[in-house]
Amino acid sequence: MELWVRFEYLGKQGFGTLRNDHIAVYQGDMFQESKATGEFLPVADINLLIPTRPSKMIGLWNNFRSRAAKEGWSQPNHPLYFMKANGSFLATGQTIRQPETYDGPVAFEGELGIVIGERCCNINEDEADRYIFGYTCVNDVTARGLMKEDPSFVQWTRAKSFDTFGAVGPVVATGLDVDSLTVRTLVDGVEHQNYPVEDMFFSPREIVSRLSKDMTLNPGDVIACGTSLGAGPMSQGSTVEIRIDGIGSLVNLFE
């Protein structure tokens, strides 16, 4: 298993793998023909960036049996999804901000993120592992009060695409047994979400296959797999942590 990161050091950006308290620096392309340089940097001396440069983030809705049962939702025939603007992306340690134009509730949604490693289009489920580079943590932040502000049109994109509303990180973990993972969300140290990935209607491999038949997926793209029970509003000044063992903790302050 490797933990891939992007970082800034002395004003320059780079990427590498996390090794305890150091970063092993690589050169080339994270997804193809990357090569270790032999240089190591102390984690304390670098700033972690969003671990990939996605062209898009796709977010799923109603993908967990437990939440669907509570809400009275039926299982969809195809993944239900929306898009988050790439200007919303935020790294661990950075601040989620209340939009200046909106003073309503802002919700956290802890999720598993799939990171695409190879361009894929119209693939089958049994091919998906080839195109999945690894997995990360996502906080799919949502301005819930805007969703149904206009009764004629549910505003998924607007509610989810404010700057800082797409927190991703801290790493991309490769070589995981994804079906055994558990997603936890803590707000100021208090657990609000704790749910297994295996409760999904659509597994990560099926998600990648189904979405690739709708659109081309590019290296670095992130697919947020949807959230389960316990997502809810944040209070300004609170710290939100999305924790997945094997990946780590995505931690952001909300102001």
Side-chain angles (χ1 to χ4, degrees), residues 201-219:
F201 285 133
F202 300 101
S203 71
R205 298 171 188 87
E206 187 173 5
I207 291 168
V208 171
S209 171
R210 294 282 197 110
L211 267 58
S212 80
K213 298 177 188 298
D214 291 349
M215 69 186 78
T216 298
L217 304 174
N218 297 308

Side-chain angles (χ1 to χ4, degrees), residues 68-90:
K70 181 177 180 179
E71 302 287 354
W73 300 333
S74 59
Q75 178 175 345
N77 294 323
H78 184 82
L80 304 174
Y81 60 87
F82 52 86
M83 311 288 282
K84 291 178 85 85
N86 58 19
S88 69
F89 300 148
L90 188 74

Side-chain angles (χ1 to χ4, degrees), residues 11 15 18 49 70 73 95 103 139 166 170 187 213:
F15 73 97
L18 181 62
L49 304 173
K70 181 177 180 179
W73 300 333
T95 300
D103 60 3
N139 188 353
V187 180
K213 298 177 188 298

Side-chain angles (χ1 to χ4, degrees), residues 105-123:
V106 175
F108 64 84
E109 298 184 13
E111 307 189 12
L112 174 71
I114 305 166
V115 177
I116 300 299
E118 183 178 341
R119 182 182 181 275
C120 62
C121 179
N122 196 29
I123 67 166

Side-chain angles (χ1 to χ4, degrees), residues 100-203:
E100 293 183 4
T101 57
Y102 168 75
D103 60 3
V106 175
F108 64 84
E109 298 184 13
E111 307 189 12
L112 174 71
I114 305 166
V115 177
I116 300 299
E118 183 178 341
R119 182 182 181 275
C120 62
C121 179
N122 196 29
I123 67 166
N124 295 321
E125 185 176 348
D126 59 7
E127 301 175 281
D129 281 334
R130 169 185 164 185
Y131 297 92
I132 297 173
F133 181 72
Y135 298 91
T136 191
C137 302
V138 173
N139 188 353
D140 173 23
V141 182
T142 308
R144 286 188 171 177
L146 293 179
M147 296 285 286
K148 297 182 180 180
E149 183 182 61
D150 186 324
S152 70
F153 183 77
V154 181
Q155 299 188 68
W156 289 98
T157 300
R158 183 183 178 202
K160 291 178 173 288
S161 290
F162 285 100
D163 291 354
T164 76
F165 272 27
V168 182
V171 306
V172 180
T174 62
L176 291 177
D177 176 10
V178 67
D179 301 315
S180 69
L181 298 179
T182 297
V183 180
R184 299 175 62 204
T185 303
L186 297 89
V187 180
D188 293 330
V190 177
E191 184 175 274
H192 287 252
Q193 294 188 284
N194 187 328
Y195 64 88
V197 167
E198 66 180 0
D199 190 45
M200 291 182 183
F201 285 133
F202 300 101
S203 71

Side-chain angles (χ1 to χ4, degrees), residues 14-74:
F15 73 97
T17 56
L18 181 62
R19 310 282 176 87
N20 297 317
D21 58 351
H22 283 74
I23 303 292
V25 180
Y26 277 66
Q27 62 184 6
D29 184 294
M30 182 185 293
F31 307 113
Q32 296 182 22
E33 300 180 359
S34 60
K35 182 178 180 181
T37 66
E39 181 182 8
F40 290 84
L41 299 174
V43 171
D45 292 346
I46 61 97
N47 290 320
L48 285 177
L49 304 173
I50 303 162
T52 73
R53 293 182 176 133
S55 68
K56 56 185 171 289
M57 184 192 292
I58 304 168
L60 268 68
W61 181 77
N62 186 19
N63 192 35
F64 282 87
R65 295 179 178 86
S66 296
R67 187 176 181 192
K70 181 177 180 179
E71 302 287 354
W73 300 333
S74 59

